[in-house]
Amino acid sequence: MTSPKTLLKAWELFPKKQLGQNFLADPSTARMIVSRGGVLPEDVIFEIGAGLGALTIPLSAAAKRVYAVEKDDRLVRLLETELVLHKAKNVTLLHQNVLAVDIPAMAAGEKTRLLAFGNLPYNISSQILIKLIENRKHLSRCILMFQKELADRLTAKAGKKAYGRLSVMLRYCAEIRPLATVKANLFYPKPKIDSEIIEIDFSRPSPHKAENEPFFFSVIKAAFSKRRKTLKNALTSSELGMSQEQVSLALAAAGIDPVRRAETLNVEEFVGLGNALGEKIEVGGRKSEV
Ligand code: SAM
């Protein structure tokens, strides 16, 4: 594989910071990621941010088919040529914003669920993750590379400072496992911090079930939006639009001390709280649409 620096120079291109373009410059690391990701010959890959093809090419060799999404038209032209050079015939390159990709339509023609894969553009990593969670019935697993800071938040346990909205959402719908750290000097241009690869396995969700999932996710959001406040205050002054009395009754019904803060609740407690709040809204005659 030609190095990103040489390839970009040959095409008279430069990396765009606003698109989070830090290209993986080490082919053996790319192969390691595909191998640790456990890609099987029958897998259909949904690759996010294909860039210069550092992952696309080893993925095409390991999997049945790859749908590779890239927003930057300059890179799409370059990658089309690279794919021909590498005889990667099972890759469908999609010039699109990943946030606008119709995942159900992509999955519709396939017999298996998609395996999402990507070295994510750091500036929209959280938005991409939320989209993947919302579309998880079409996905088996995700193997994603995040900047270390976000990866730490995703894998943080209850009670830790890094524990937040995404940690709870992820733990609710998947089992998560850190796979490897990739040093910053293996990218071009070199980012400020190292990256971490994480496996998100949607086939292993939490056994605790929210009765109304969109409402449950909005409860998590509300609880963490004022994480310094007690749960009672954070939820009362939130976009859930609930009265102090409704919140107090729900906290009591869920057996949660109202002076606790969001970061101390594990997933099971959040599910209990979300279900209890949902009931109070229904009793109060409000629609729980969120
Ligand atoms: N996969 C390549 C690699 O590992 O070298 C590139 C990874 S780079 C961190 C992120 C890639 O995502 C860039 O190629 C960038 O242009 C692309 N990208 C950024 N925003 C995007 C978006 N909204 N939709 C699709 N691709 C995007």
Side-chain angles (χ1 to χ4, degrees):
M1 190 186 123
T2 318
S3 79
K5 195 173 177 181
T6 309
L7 203 52
L8 289 169
K9 202 167 169 206
W11 283 69
E12 297 181 347
L13 299 176
F14 53 90
K16 281 190 182 169
K17 203 176 171 193
Q18 69 272 31
L19 286 177
Q21 292 181 348
N22 299 101
F23 302 105
L24 186 58
D26 182 42
S28 65
T29 302
R31 286 193 295 273
M32 175 279 285
I33 297 170
V34 173
S35 136
R36 292 237 183 133
V39 178
L40 299 171
E42 61 268 27
D43 280 331
V44 178
I45 310 287
F46 163 32
E47 195 204 349
I48 299 162
L52 308 173
L55 294 171
T56 323
I57 290 161
L59 281 169
S60 93
K64 180 178 164 199
R65 197 180 349 275
V66 182
Y67 294 100
V69 180
E70 174 54 56
K71 184 177 179 184
D72 188 340
D73 56 335
R74 310 167 313 154
L75 303 189
V76 169
R77 286 196 296 276
L78 187 162
L79 186 52
E80 273 167 357
T81 308
E82 284 295 297
L83 292 174
V84 172
L85 276 176
H86 286 86
K87 300 186 173 56
K89 290 186 185 152
N90 57 349
V91 179
T92 305
L93 188 53
L94 302 163
H95 178 206
Q96 255 187 292
N97 178 348
V98 68
L99 298 175
V101 167
D102 185 343
I103 298 177
M106 185 185 276
E110 303 296 339
K111 289 195 186 88
T112 57
R113 292 178 181 208
L114 307 172
L115 170 53
F117 222 98
N119 171 12
L120 299 186
Y122 70 91
N123 43 341
I124 54 165
S125 294
S126 300
Q127 288 172 67
I128 295 173
L129 192 57
I130 289 171
K131 179 171 173 120
L132 295 174
I133 290 174
E134 286 169 352
N135 283 278
R136 67 186 186 277
K137 72 172 178 192
H138 304 289
L139 305 169
S140 54
R141 293 183 301 135
C142 307
I143 306 293
L144 302 174
M145 198 175 341
F146 297 94
Q147 288 209 338
K148 185 120 184 36
E149 214 174 47
L150 178 56
D152 288 346
R153 286 203 270 134
L154 301 180
T155 53
K157 300 247 160 65
K160 298 284 173 199
K161 209 172 155 206
Y163 185 69
R165 177 186 172 203
L166 286 173
S167 341
V168 183
M169 284 176 76
L170 264 187
R171 200 145 290 132
Y172 170 72
C173 52
E175 198 169 275
I176 29 185
R177 194 163 63 105
L179 290 186
T181 301
V182 183
K183 291 278 171 206
N185 62 8
L186 295 177
F187 297 91
Y188 173 80
K190 183 182 164 192
K192 288 201 180 79
I193 47 178
D194 295 344
S195 290
E196 186 91 20
I197 305 161
I198 292 182
E199 178 192 52
I200 299 166
D201 186 349
F202 288 128
S203 70
R204 295 170 177 271
S206 150
H208 310 285
K209 287 283 153 270
E211 275 151 26
N212 176 341
E213 193 179 285
F215 178 71
F216 171 58
F217 286 165
S218 68
V219 168
I220 301 172
K221 190 176 171 199
F224 281 106
S225 65
K226 301 205 175 82
R227 59 185 296 149
R228 302 220 156 271
K229 290 194 175 186
T230 63
L231 273 171
K232 186 178 158 194
N233 288 342
L235 294 170
T236 303
S237 59
S238 76
E239 60 193 34
L240 297 175
M242 298 186 72
S243 69
Q244 207 171 62
E245 192 197 354
Q246 283 175 314
V247 170
S248 298
L249 287 171
L251 282 163
I256 293 168
D257 186 338
V259 301
R260 283 175 68 185
R261 292 188 182 157
E263 68 202 32
T264 68
L265 263 62
N266 63 27
V267 172
E268 183 179 356
E269 290 174 310
F270 258 114
V271 170
L273 176 60
N275 289 344
L277 285 165
E279 269 178 33
K280 296 301 163 222
I281 281 194
E282 277 162 26
V283 169
R286 293 176 56 101
K287 258 177 86 190
S288 59
E289 55 175 42
V290 253

